[in-house]
Amino acid sequence: MTKLIALYRPPEDPAEFDRHFNAVHTALAQRYPGLRKFEITRVTGGPIGDTKFYVMAEMYFDNKDAMERALASKEGKAVARDLMGFAAHIVTIFYGEVSNLEER
Amino acid sequence: MTKLIALYRPPEDPAEFDRHFNAVHTALAQRYPGLRKFEITRVTGGPIGDTKFYVMAEMYFDNKDAMERALASKEGKAVARDLMGFAAHIVTIFYGEVSNLEER
């Protein structure tokens, strides 16, 4: 699978960020065509000191083509537009190929 | 669940990094007591330009206590020691609480 990752640094106004993120942004992102799984991680700390991140959103697609179709769709453009409006300065977006390892 | 995340920037020597990461480091990390899932993402790009990341490892535990027990275990200390030996200058580690959203 291909995973699209949005990693956010701490917002200036966490309450306002959370409100928009939960009520508006994730609702838009859930409409990506071909979205297979959508995982949110609320960052709570780091084992070797503070962390510089606040929240991470991970969106899974069947493969890179499916992700690119989702990003180019009208739903994808609505997500991008919303993101740039509320978090352009604190978000980093990247993607990659996912594999799972078995526990030993 | 609680997820421990190790996010790596590009190594100076990708071939040597990959060799150690695949043959040694992930094998050590698979021995964390209480590890429920271990997902690796090979970063391949970013939709709005280059990405500054290379690979991300995500290790899932039942809760924060289980993660802390894993980090404090002898297996966890071996992971940390190995990490500091080969990637201290390129890795960021953080953790958080995971939730999954349904597709709309």
Side-chain angles (χ1 to χ4, degrees):
Chain A
M1 296 192 99
T2 296
K3 179 158 80 170
L4 179 66
I5 300 151
L7 183 58
Y8 298 77
R9 293 181 295 280
E12 285 170 34
D13 182 342
E16 172 57 20
F17 176 93
D18 289 349
R19 191 200 62 73
H20 187 89
F21 186 80
N22 295 331
V24 179
H25 190 66
T26 59
L28 288 172
Q30 281 176 285
R31 295 189 189 122
Y32 273 127
L35 182 67
R36 295 293 177 223
K37 184 176 146 188
F38 190 173
E39 188 169 291
I40 305 283
T41 303
R42 300 277 169 185
V43 180
T44 55
I48 47 177
D50 280 351
T51 171
K52 56 186 172 182
F53 301 115
Y54 184 72
V55 67
M56 181 165 70
E58 296 172 282
M59 290 141 286
Y60 295 72
F61 299 90
D62 285 340
N63 50 48
K64 193 180 174 201
D65 281 353
M67 179 193 72
E68 288 178 343
R69 281 195 300 274
L71 289 169
S73 68
K74 70 173 168 23
E75 294 88 351
K77 286 174 184 166
V79 175
R81 204 157 43 229
D82 184 67
L83 182 67
M84 290 303 105
F86 89 105
H89 56 302
I90 58 170
V91 72
T92 304
I93 304 179
F94 53 105
Y95 54 77
E97 295 305 306
V98 176
S99 59
N100 281 280
L101 302 178
E102 296 302 318
E103 194 180 353
R104 289 201 177 178
Chain B
M1 297 192 98
T2 296
K3 179 157 82 170
L4 179 66
I5 300 151
L7 183 58
Y8 298 77
R9 292 181 296 279
E12 285 170 34
D13 183 340
E16 172 57 21
F17 176 93
D18 288 349
R19 190 201 62 73
H20 187 89
F21 185 80
N22 294 330
V24 179
H25 190 67
T26 58
L28 288 173
Q30 282 176 284
R31 295 189 189 120
Y32 272 127
L35 181 67
R36 294 293 177 223
K37 184 176 146 188
F38 190 173
E39 187 170 292
I40 305 282
T41 302
R42 299 277 170 186
V43 180
T44 56
I48 45 176
D50 280 350
T51 171
K52 56 186 173 182
F53 301 115
Y54 184 72
V55 67
M56 180 165 71
E58 297 172 281
M59 290 140 287
Y60 295 72
F61 299 90
D62 285 339
N63 51 47
K64 193 179 175 202
D65 281 353
M67 180 193 71
E68 288 178 343
R69 281 195 299 274
L71 289 169
S73 69
K74 71 174 169 20
E75 295 87 350
K77 286 174 184 166
V79 175
R81 203 157 46 229
D82 184 67
L83 182 69
M84 290 303 106
F86 89 105
H89 56 303
I90 58 170
V91 73
T92 303
I93 304 180
F94 54 104
Y95 54 76
E97 294 306 305
V98 176
S99 59
N100 280 280
L101 301 179
E102 295 302 317
E103 194 181 352
R104 287 199 178 180

